[in-house]
């Protein structure tokens, strides 16, 4: 056995092979027999087909004569010694070779790391090279987060030796991953740009007493944000400027080049996939889209696993039973799927498996998101439901007579997220978290229901329909849907946001709003499966910001990132009547 002491392992928290738990000696022994007790390690500098830049490729093979089945990933995360060695060793001991290639400009690879743009050409070059090696048999591609991107981007150009892909936690539609109704997902996308920039930037330091991610908030709040890279980080990041200024889904930026490839490829992939998503992962929406866009014949052999965890596979929420939440072990499942596919040569079976939060069970479905054909509607009202003026009733039937409630939204004093499904850098905020008491700010309207008389299983996309008007040219409305326990503790279930400029639809161009016009705004949350138990109540907080999960709206029209000034908005919400503001739950 030969080991290169300069080996740098990929980041365990962001790679499927090491995401759920540290590598352990014999971790796959119950799943497959060992074929050897040792392994062979060597490195190759594999040239990219485009320009010949050489990429460091670490190769672990079982002892003995090949060819061997291989699992392969490409990664920019080479932060230090970790669990990759242990995972690779265990694969090799069970007869499967293991390869990890550093992305261009990362680790031991040559070139400069420009996020996303080189991964398709570099990946195609790797798999063409690998298919020609005499020790290489059938191939499986795996990855999580950015490493899953490197898998998706070659899906239409892989050699015949590639038999399947195991990809988790990455969206196949980049605009959807970046934006919600024209507002940028700051805490993941801006935070990722800061953490992964290869340019010589000045990274904001975390001061004593600051929670994780808070040192970036000055960057997120800088106006105009298109200049924050130079004025705060000290370097121009053109790719970041491109992300934040192309807010329309139909913009050519999202429909050419690498992002066009990413959208297109799921429709034409021929090999089976296992796709893993988390209900509190910021990539949930786009990851599920990867499954939805597969052709029927491929979907029949593919799997979608949707668990209750965040991007790092940490289970959330924690205030309800979770004994079965991690019944699904990503490491074991990935190995077992590849072993069946590559070693046993078995044809995969299709599967959609979703974790039901609070019921603490896994449920099999034919598709996801579910179209149950059933829903339950609750209505926002002006009826008092607490000691504060802004704590109101969430009713099972519409309030008679029309009335209004409202608040003043000041972008200079945004509402900070207390939990959310698309947070990342602010690790202490992401997921399902304990909420402040109802109506804790004057710019939040809290609508609280009576305790449920029976269990209600929410399955799919919760939608809030707000009938609103405002006195500015454009603005945002957001919601947090929470569960209230009998003891009064409140935990968020879903959040979302929408702007008047994109009220015609998330995927349609921005439209004009005329001050004072009464409009209906649909705010749709990401899909979820959650059984709210009888005796618990529901709380719906209406506000106009959810920072740092989403960019803070300035209350002016136009591209958010180019706006330097803000104005206050007087927000009016119409309640009462069947067409008044309401929330619709898809139920099982």
């Amino acid at each position: 056995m030969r080991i290169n002491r300069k080996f740098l392992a990929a980041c365990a928290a962001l790679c499927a092979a090491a995401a759920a738990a540290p590598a352990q000696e014999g971790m796959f022994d119950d799943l497959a027999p060992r074929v050897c007790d040792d392994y062979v390690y060597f490195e190759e500098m594999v040239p990219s087909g485009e320009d010949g830049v050489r990429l460091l490729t670490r190769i672990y093979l079982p002892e003995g004569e090949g060819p061997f089945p291989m699992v392969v990933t490409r990664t920019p995360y080479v932060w230090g010694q970790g669990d990759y060695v242990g995972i690779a060793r265990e694969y090799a001991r069970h007869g499967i070779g293991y390869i990890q290639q550093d992305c261009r400009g990362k680790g031991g690879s040559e070139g400069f790391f420009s996020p996303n743009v080189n991964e398709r050409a570099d990946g195609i070059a790797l798999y063409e090279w690998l298919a020609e090696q005499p020790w290489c048999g059938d191939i499986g591609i795996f990855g999580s987060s950015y490493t899953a991107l490197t898998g998706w981007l070659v899906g239409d150009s892989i050699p015949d030796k590639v038999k399947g892909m195991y990809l988790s936690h990455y969206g196949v539609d980049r605009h959807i991953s970046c934006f919600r109704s024209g507002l940028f997902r700051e805490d993941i996308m801006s935070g990722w740009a800061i953490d992964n920039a290869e340019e010589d930037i000045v990274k904001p330091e975390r001061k004593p007493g600051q929670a994780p991610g808070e040192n970036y908030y000055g960057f997120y709040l800088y106006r105009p944000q298109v200049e924050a890279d130079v004025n705060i980080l000290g370097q121009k990041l053109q790719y970041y400027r491109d992300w934040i200024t192309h807010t329309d889904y139909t913009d050519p930026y999202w429909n050419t080049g690498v992002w066009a490839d990413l959208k297109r490829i799921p429709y034409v992939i021929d090999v089976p996939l296992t796709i893993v998503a988390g209900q509190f992962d910021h990539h949930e929406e786009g990851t599920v889209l990867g499954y939805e866009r597969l052709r029927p014949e491929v979907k029949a052999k593919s799997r979608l696993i949707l668990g209750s965890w965040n991007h790092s596979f940490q289970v959330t929420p924690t205030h309800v039973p979770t004994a079965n939440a991690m019944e699904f072990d990503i490491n074991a499942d990935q190995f077992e799927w590849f072993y069946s596919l590559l070693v046993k040569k078995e044809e995969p079976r299709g599967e959609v498996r979703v974790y039901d939060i609070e019921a603490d069970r896994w449920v099999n479905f034919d598709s996801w998101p579910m179209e149950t054909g059933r829903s339950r509607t609750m209505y926002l009202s002006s009826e008092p439901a607490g000691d504060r003026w802004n704590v109101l009733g969430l009713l099972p039937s519409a309030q008679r007579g029309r009335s209004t409630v409202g608040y003043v939204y000041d972008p200079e004093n945004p509402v900070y997220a207390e939990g959310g499904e698309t947070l990342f850098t602010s690790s202490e905020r992401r997921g399902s978290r304990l909420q402040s008491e109802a109506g804790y700010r004057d710019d939040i309207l809290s609508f609280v229901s009576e305790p449920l008389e029976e269990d209600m299983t929410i399955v799919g996309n919760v939608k809030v329909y707000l009938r609103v008007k405002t006195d500015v040219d454009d603005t945002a409305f957001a919601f947090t849907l929470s569960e209230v326990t009998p003891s009064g503790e409140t935990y968020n279930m879903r959040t979302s946001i929408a702007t008047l400029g994109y009220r015609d639809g998330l995927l349609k161009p921005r439209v004009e709003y005329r001050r004072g016009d009464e409009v209906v705004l649909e705010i749709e949350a990401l899909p979820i499966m959650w059984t709210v138990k009888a005796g618990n109540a529901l709380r719906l907080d209406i506000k106009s910001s959810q920072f740092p999960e989403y960019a803070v709206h300035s209350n002016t029209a136009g591209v958010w990132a180019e706006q330097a000034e803000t104005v206050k908005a007087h927000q009016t919400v119409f309640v009462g009547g069947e067409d008044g503001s309401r929330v619709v739950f898809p139920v099982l």
Side-chain angles (χ1 to χ4, degrees):
M1 177 178 66
R2 180 164 61 90
I3 300 178
N4 187 319
R5 296 300 177 185
K6 295 181 179 179
F7 174 82
L8 294 175
C11 172
L14 291 174
C15 296
Q24 298 176 356
E25 182 82 15
M27 62 189 300
F28 301 142
D29 286 358
D30 292 338
L31 304 176
R34 286 195 184 198
V35 299
C36 59
D37 290 325
D38 219 333
Y39 63 95
V40 176
Y41 174 72
F42 60 98
E43 297 175 356
E44 294 281 353
M45 294 296 291
V46 178
S48 172
E50 271 202 338
D51 54 12
V53 168
R54 301 184 306 158
L55 308 180
L56 180 60
T57 306
R58 302 180 175 94
I59 301 165
Y60 299 78
L61 298 180
E63 286 189 318
E65 297 295 325
F68 305 104
M70 307 294 301
V71 295
V72 188
T73 194
R74 302 185 62 253
T75 179
Y77 302 119
V78 282
W79 294 345
Q81 192 73 19
D83 288 318
Y84 241 121
V85 175
I87 293 285
R89 178 174 59 240
E90 292 304 311
Y91 268 88
R93 285 174 172 172
H94 293 82
I96 301 176
Y98 189 101
I99 292 180
Q100 180 245 309
Q101 183 181 77
D102 294 349
C103 290
R104 176 184 296 241
K106 290 289 187 174
S109 291
E110 299 173 348
F112 184 81
F113 179 67
S114 295
N116 314 300
V117 297
N118 295 302
E119 306 307 352
R120 176 169 166 80
D122 291 349
I124 290 173
L126 170 64
Y127 292 108
E128 289 178 348
W129 173 86
L130 182 59
E132 295 175 354
Q133 304 309 304
W135 40 262
C136 177
D138 288 342
I139 301 169
I141 297 173
F142 74 94
S144 186
S145 192
Y146 191 100
T147 66
L149 163 76
T150 68
W152 281 114
L153 281 176
V154 300
D156 65 332
S157 302
I158 46 181
D160 291 340
K161 282 188 176 182
V162 176
K163 302 302 181 184
M165 307 174 78
Y166 194 109
L167 306 175
S168 66
H169 290 187
Y170 199 86
V172 300
D173 197 314
R174 185 63 168 184
H175 180 276
I176 288 175
S177 296
C178 287
F179 285 99
R180 194 76 176 172
S181 198
L183 295 178
F184 200 60
R185 299 190 200 270
E186 291 278 22
D187 199 56
I188 170 57
M189 302 311 303
S190 296
W192 190 94
I194 294 172
D195 284 340
N196 291 277
E198 283 295 293
E199 290 82 357
D200 186 19
I201 66 171
V202 179
K203 189 173 178 179
E205 294 184 4
R206 185 175 165 190
K207 299 177 181 178
Q210 284 188 319
E214 289 184 359
N215 49 312
Y216 294 172
Y217 290 1
F219 180 89
Y220 301 165
L221 291 169
Y222 189 89
R223 294 183 184 277
Q225 186 150 128
V226 73
E227 297 175 5
D229 54 356
V230 171
N231 293 340
I232 293 183
L233 304 181
Q235 294 288 335
K236 183 177 181 180
L237 307 180
Q238 186 58 51
Y239 57 86
Y240 178 73
R241 293 187 173 204
D242 290 338
W243 296 351
I244 63 178
T245 55
H246 295 92
T247 56
D248 279 3
Y249 185 79
T250 55
D251 191 297
Y253 176 77
W254 304 109
N255 295 282
T256 55
V258 62
W259 304 130
D261 288 330
L262 185 63
K263 291 170 68 170
R264 170 185 59 83
I265 288 173
Y267 293 108
V268 297
I269 286 179
D270 288 326
V271 298
L273 293 94
T274 289
I275 297 173
V276 181
Q279 296 185 71
F280 283 90
D281 173 41
H282 55 269
H283 273 302
E284 180 204 9
E285 185 175 23
T287 304
V288 173
L289 271 179
Y291 176 80
E292 290 184 62
R293 290 177 177 178
L294 299 178
R295 291 180 292 121
E297 58 269 30
V298 176
K299 193 177 291 186
K301 300 178 183 179
S302 298
R303 307 160 70 217
L304 173 65
I305 310 296
L306 182 59
S308 181
W309 47 66
N310 60 29
H311 195 65
S312 302
F313 290 91
Q314 297 166 325
V315 171
T316 186
T318 57
H319 72 284
V320 296
T322 58
N324 295 320
M326 285 307 295
E327 175 187 298
F328 174 79
D329 183 312
I330 185 92
N331 286 331
D333 188 78
Q334 178 180 295
F335 173 83
E336 196 168 18
W337 191 75
F338 276 135
Y339 191 87
S340 173
L341 181 70
L342 303 177
V343 178
K344 293 183 177 180
K345 310 289 187 180
E346 295 176 347
E347 185 172 82
R349 296 181 179 180
E351 178 185 27
V352 175
R353 188 148 53 111
V354 181
Y355 180 75
D356 185 353
I357 299 171
E358 198 159 343
D360 193 27
R361 61 174 182 164
W362 288 90
V363 182
N364 292 319
F365 292 109
D366 294 329
S367 63
W368 184 266
M370 282 291 295
E371 296 292 342
T372 66
R374 297 185 60 199
S375 64
R376 180 173 179 176
T377 301
M378 292 186 177
Y379 295 85
L380 285 61
S381 78
S382 58
E383 297 181 6
D387 295 334
R388 290 185 170 89
W389 71 269
N390 53 345
V391 180
L392 307 163
L394 185 63
L395 308 179
S397 57
Q399 168 187 304
R400 288 188 178 183
R402 206 174 188 223
S403 61
T404 63
V405 290
Y407 57 93
V408 177
Y409 161 50
D410 182 0
E412 300 301 321
N413 184 28
V415 176
Y416 281 70
E418 298 180 328
E421 53 272 37
T422 62
L423 290 159
F424 178 72
T425 307
S426 301
S427 57
E428 293 182 2
R429 295 180 185 271
R430 63 177 171 169
S432 182
R433 300 281 177 167
L434 183 65
Q435 302 291 292
S436 294
E437 58 188 346
Y440 69 99
R441 287 177 51 136
D442 285 344
D443 54 358
I444 297 176
L445 303 174
S446 294
F447 299 89
V448 185
S449 77
E450 293 294 324
L452 301 184
E453 295 182 356
E454 58 184 13
D455 292 357
M456 180 175 75
T457 299
I458 302 169
V459 55
N461 303 82
V462 175
K463 296 181 181 180
V464 173
Y465 296 90
L466 289 184
R467 186 173 289 277
V468 297
K469 71 175 182 180
T470 188
D471 61 351
V472 294
D473 295 330
D474 193 9
T475 192
F477 288 89
F479 76 78
T480 296
L481 174 68
S482 303
E483 175 185 64
V484 184
T485 68
S487 64
E489 292 185 333
T490 303
Y491 296 88
N492 59 293
M493 302 163 66
R494 272 298 180 255
T495 67
S496 194
I497 199 165
T499 64
L500 297 183
Y502 285 94
R503 66 187 181 276
D504 282 358
L506 298 176
L507 308 186
K508 295 183 179 180
R510 183 188 294 107
V511 296
E512 183 180 356
Y513 172 76
R514 189 170 58 187
R515 296 184 185 190
D517 279 1
E518 182 181 323
V519 297
V520 175
L521 186 64
E522 177 185 292
I523 315 174
E524 182 179 73
L526 303 187
I528 198 168
M529 187 173 188
W530 189 312
T531 296
V532 183
K533 294 294 186 178
N536 291 337
L538 296 171
R539 182 175 122 193
L540 184 71
D541 287 350
I542 301 298
K543 48 200 170 180
S544 288
S545 50
Q546 175 76 356
F547 179 80
E549 190 170 19
Y550 302 102
V552 176
H553 201 296
S554 67
N555 291 330
T556 57
V559 176
W560 143 84
E562 296 173 346
Q563 296 163 346
E565 304 296 331
T566 68
V567 295
K568 292 182 181 180
H570 296 80
Q571 316 286 53
T572 301
V573 179
F574 295 85
V575 298
E578 294 295 329
D579 64 346
S581 298
R582 59 200 182 276
V583 54
V584 179
F585 304 94
V587 295
L588 192 63

